Amino acid sequence: MTVDAAEPGRDFIRDIVQADLDAKRHTAVVTRFPPEPNGYLHIGHAKSICLNFGIAAEFGGRCHLRFDDTNPAKEEQEYIDAIEHDVRWLGFDWGEHLYHASDYFDQIYAWAEHLIQAGKAYVDDQTPDEMRAARGTLTEPGRNSPFRDRAVAENLDLFRRMKAGEFPNGARVLRAKIDMAAGNINLRDPAIYRIVHAAHPRTGTSWCIYPTYDFAHGQSDAIEHITHSICTLEFEDHKPLYEWFLENLPVPSKPRQYEFARLNITYTVLSKRMLTQFVRDGHVTGWDDPRMPTLAGIRRRGVPAAALRDFVGRIGVARANSTVDVAMFDACVRELLNKTASRYMAVLRPLKVVIENYPDGQVEQLDAVNNPEDPAAGTRQVPFAREIYVERDDFMENPPKKFYRLAPGKEVRLRYAYFITCREIVKDANGEVTELRCTYDPASRGGNSPDGRKVQATLHWVSASHGVTCDVRVYNPLFTRPDPGAAGDIIADLNPNSLEVLKDVVIEPALVNVGPEPVQFERQGYFCRDADSTDTRLVFNRTVGLRDTWAKVQAGG
Ligand code: ATP
Ligand code: MG
């Protein structure tokens, strides 16, 4: 699959920003990326990061990184560190503008008391079940809490005692007093402070009450003088509440919220809650398992940050929900690596070939091109000898008509080396082919035809005595359905063949010294050295195949 070149970045949010600047509603644009540190970032977050940091850069403004750390029960320092690392890896820098909702806990608390004093918030003693039952439905209004008309002084006293730690989790909440009959359920006296006796990664045990997302987010935006608070569509219904708080509190600025459609990708789950479950239950090896759609996972798989930015640029920003084909992501990765990755030869499933007329003990160093897309990448030498390995798939004993590779009596080219012809097949006791006996044409050195005769296939190969054995991990999509979980049980949709470990891979010696950048294994795809490599055993990850073979596998082809 090929992808159209990216549109020069224009979308409805950028249009709004431009119009606001033109009308001098703001002198500078200030955006923020507000992750909750309850998991690792995934490709969906990359869309939001590129949008927020991208707009700030394009319009000469700034973008804050703000941790939305209002729920200590689920948040951890590990996630905070990983998120900072991932945003930097993606190529963005918040400079000195690193913030936390927890930086504002004192101010947010003061604003809660402000609402109480104004008769716009009350402490509710109902149980969570009672509150849920009284909330009503989309078609029925809610019912007022029996505690709704508490006096200001009593509310203040109870709220302060909540803060002082007098009550257990869930015993009481502070609610905004808005309208239990509102059509928008978010306005039916939403909880704004909850009791949570849990240590917070930053504020420790200073607090045992925490503001809800709704009560912290817009106010944090206002404190930071965010001009455009960009979020995904699921917050559209929260917007009236976002604005209600800004109107009813003495905030220092009035940010505006804009929503865009979240990124969905076929065969991929982009929900931190689900990804957390896969990690916790051992369906993957960790947050950085290369099958995971996390930035840590795709980075380990070898995907360059530039390919991800390119992908995000191409999918664009809109308000309509849609799902992007995972093949498009792979195409962006392939397209970039085609330009940058050095080529090498590696045989994933080796079959030995003995070249009977090649002198025993002779070794030739043959010139090979490092990257046909980049002449500056130069050439290297590849050792050739009498015994080599070729790909098992490149041989068929009884080939169908259009099979052009090795078969009894067939001649093929060995890349950079010689023409060889298959003369004899050696089998073991089970009838398995263990070796091919071939002859070579000494006049075809360099893989050039000596007399104009043509061969229809060029195979990669590795010298048996020079090659190095290593592991290759081939990744397939983590799910068997394009819409994981749509049939009810997402775990049942996990792909049992998402990881295939090849143990007998033979690589050309030059590959032993490659760095962490992905390389191309000729005719196979792009691969990068995994961190699990040791001094004695290399491990490579397949970043992406050369072609989209998964679609074919799915279709049974
Ligand atoms: P998840 O649904 O994966 O749990 P989240 O929205 O709870 O994600 P946050 O940490 O709150 O995770 O997200 C930070 C920002 O990233 C938010 O502004 C959110 O709207 C945005 N975001 C999250 N998922 C996506 C996505 N799939 N596409 C685009 N933006 C996303
Ligand atoms: Mg969220």
Side-chain angles (χ1 to χ4, degrees):
M1 161 171 188
T2 56
V3 196
D4 293 335
E7 289 271 317
R10 217 52 206 187
D11 52 64
F12 78 97
I13 294 184
R14 286 174 166 89
D15 290 345
I16 290 168
V17 170
Q18 184 67 63
D20 284 346
L21 291 174
D22 290 347
K24 304 218 176 333
R25 274 188 286 274
H26 306 291
T27 49
V29 54
V30 186
T31 57
R32 85 287 171 267
F33 173 65
E36 182 179 355
N38 61 349
Y40 280 57
L41 298 180
H42 54 60
I43 307 179
H45 295 114
K47 177 175 178 180
S48 178
I49 295 168
C50 291
L51 182 60
N52 281 295
F53 280 92
I55 285 177
E58 289 155 39
F59 293 91
R62 63 174 198 262
C63 180
H64 300 179
L65 175 62
R66 183 201 314 143
F67 287 102
D68 183 5
D69 55 350
T70 52
N71 184 0
K74 288 191 178 166
E75 295 161 7
E76 287 173 30
Q77 189 61 39
E78 177 195 348
Y79 300 140
I80 295 180
D81 296 341
I83 289 168
E84 290 187 21
H85 184 245
D86 286 348
V87 175
R88 282 212 184 85
W89 172 74
L90 198 52
F92 299 103
D93 186 3
W94 51 89
E96 66 215 34
H97 299 288
L98 174 64
Y99 304 108
H100 304 79
S102 58
D103 298 339
Y104 315 131
F105 279 173
D106 286 329
Q107 175 66 80
I108 294 171
Y109 175 83
W111 281 334
E113 286 207 353
H114 177 96
L115 284 184
I116 295 174
Q117 302 273 15
K120 291 175 183 168
Y122 62 98
V123 172
D124 196 340
D125 300 356
Q126 292 184 101
T127 65
D129 282 344
E130 286 166 339
M131 262 182 275
R132 210 168 298 122
R135 191 176 298 137
T137 64
L138 285 175
T139 50
E140 290 163 52
R143 277 174 282 113
N144 284 354
S145 164
F147 303 96
R148 198 171 196 262
D149 294 319
R150 266 183 166 147
V152 167
E154 189 188 356
N155 280 319
L156 258 189
D157 174 59
L158 283 170
F159 187 49
R160 288 176 181 169
R161 287 166 59 197
M162 280 168 64
K163 177 175 183 255
E166 282 190 32
F167 311 118
N169 289 353
R172 294 185 157 86
V173 294
L174 183 70
R175 300 177 74 175
K177 192 171 180 176
I178 306 180
D179 180 5
M180 287 305 291
N184 184 333
I185 292 180
N186 290 298
L187 294 176
R188 294 184 190 169
D189 292 6
I192 61 177
Y193 260 93
R194 296 182 206 285
I195 301 170
V196 184
H197 291 275
H200 185 284
R202 290 180 61 84
T203 59
T205 51
S206 304
W207 295 88
C208 62
I209 56 171
Y210 291 92
T212 57
Y213 168 86
D214 284 315
F215 197 62
H217 198 85
Q219 284 81 298
S220 301
D221 285 344
I223 292 169
E224 293 177 20
H225 292 263
I226 300 298
T227 55
H228 299 78
S229 178
I230 303 166
C231 60
T232 36
L233 278 174
E234 66 269 25
F235 294 105
E236 193 174 14
D237 290 346
H238 294 242
K239 188 170 180 167
L241 183 56
Y242 182 99
E243 292 177 344
W244 190 90
F245 289 133
L246 296 183
E247 257 139 50
N248 286 280
L249 292 171
V251 289
S253 81
K254 292 262 166 81
R256 280 190 65 84
Q257 174 181 308
Y258 299 95
E259 309 90 23
F260 68 100
R262 60 192 292 121
L263 172 61
N264 302 298
I265 305 178
T266 56
Y267 297 99
T268 306
V269 169
L270 297 179
S271 147
K272 263 189 290 183
R273 192 174 58 80
M274 297 311 307
L275 298 178
T276 304
Q277 187 190 331
F278 304 153
V279 172
R280 192 193 55 214
D281 297 347
H283 297 297
V284 293
T285 57
W287 285 100
D288 68 345
D289 186 312
R291 293 168 294 181
M292 288 280 272
T294 50
L295 302 194
I298 66 169
R299 175 170 62 238
R300 182 166 174 189
R301 186 143 66 84
V303 172
L308 184 52
R309 289 195 302 267
D310 179 39
F311 170 70
V312 168
R314 288 174 192 220
I315 57 177
V317 178
R319 272 188 62 87
N321 273 312
S322 65
T323 300
V324 176
D325 193 334
V326 69
M328 180 171 166
F329 177 67
D330 290 347
C332 290
V333 177
R334 219 176 267 133
E335 196 177 303
L336 180 72
L337 291 180
N338 179 47
K339 290 185 213 135
T340 59
S342 294
R343 273 59 167 170
Y344 291 93
M345 292 198 285
V347 175
L348 299 187
R349 296 169 184 84
L351 173 61
K352 186 173 265 185
V353 169
V354 178
I355 301 165
E356 293 184 313
N357 59 338
Y358 193 86
D360 210 1
Q362 177 173 309
V363 177
E364 286 176 271
Q365 296 292 339
L366 302 169
D367 287 330
V369 175
N370 285 335
N371 186 349
E373 301 284 320
D374 177 12
T379 61
R380 69 183 184 287
Q381 298 208 305
V382 188
F384 184 79
R386 180 180 153 92
E387 294 195 359
I388 61 168
Y389 290 111
V390 299
E391 213 64 67
R392 201 159 262 281
D393 288 354
D394 281 337
F395 169 79
M396 280 185 95
E397 188 173 1
N398 300 299
K401 226 177 164 148
K402 292 231 159 141
F403 187 84
Y404 297 125
R405 292 165 278 163
L406 270 180
K410 274 256 176 88
E411 185 173 50
V412 298
R413 173 190 292 108
L414 295 178
R415 186 131 165 95
Y416 304 122
Y418 291 102
F419 283 16
I420 59 167
T421 304
C422 178
R423 302 292 175 188
E424 198 186 317
I425 307 169
V426 181
K427 295 184 180 175
D428 66 12
N430 303 320
E432 277 277 325
V433 176
T434 54
E435 189 178 299
L436 304 178
R437 313 289 294 192
C438 297
T439 56
Y440 84 119
D441 180 349
S444 61
R445 193 172 195 272
N448 301 309
S449 180
D451 52 9
R453 77 178 187 271
K454 291 213 167 24
V455 288
Q456 282 170 300
T458 299
L459 309 188
H460 62 277
W461 52 272
V462 173
S463 161
S465 58
H466 299 90
V468 176
T469 306
C470 69
D471 286 7
V472 165
R473 298 176 184 163
V474 176
Y475 303 102
N476 289 307
L478 194 50
F479 294 92
T480 52
R481 320 171 40 109
D483 49 356
D489 180 5
I490 201 164
I491 299 303
D493 295 337
L494 280 163
N495 179 4
N497 303 313
S498 58
L499 169 62
E500 209 180 324
V501 183
L502 306 176
K503 289 269 175 200
D504 306 312
V505 176
V506 186
I507 58 176
E508 67 168 274
L511 268 171
V512 171
N513 300 315
V514 295
E517 303 301 317
V519 295
Q520 188 190 96
F521 289 180
E522 292 209 24
R523 299 177 63 228
Q524 296 290 358
Y526 298 94
F527 296 78
C528 76
R529 192 187 176 123
D530 189 80
D532 285 345
S533 296
T534 64
D535 289 346
T536 50
R537 187 85 183 173
L538 284 172
V539 179
F540 283 89
N541 295 318
R542 188 176 73 176
T543 309
V544 66
L546 274 192
R547 279 169 298 276
D548 182 14
T549 50
W550 179 247
K552 261 187 271 161
V553 172
Q554 286 287 289

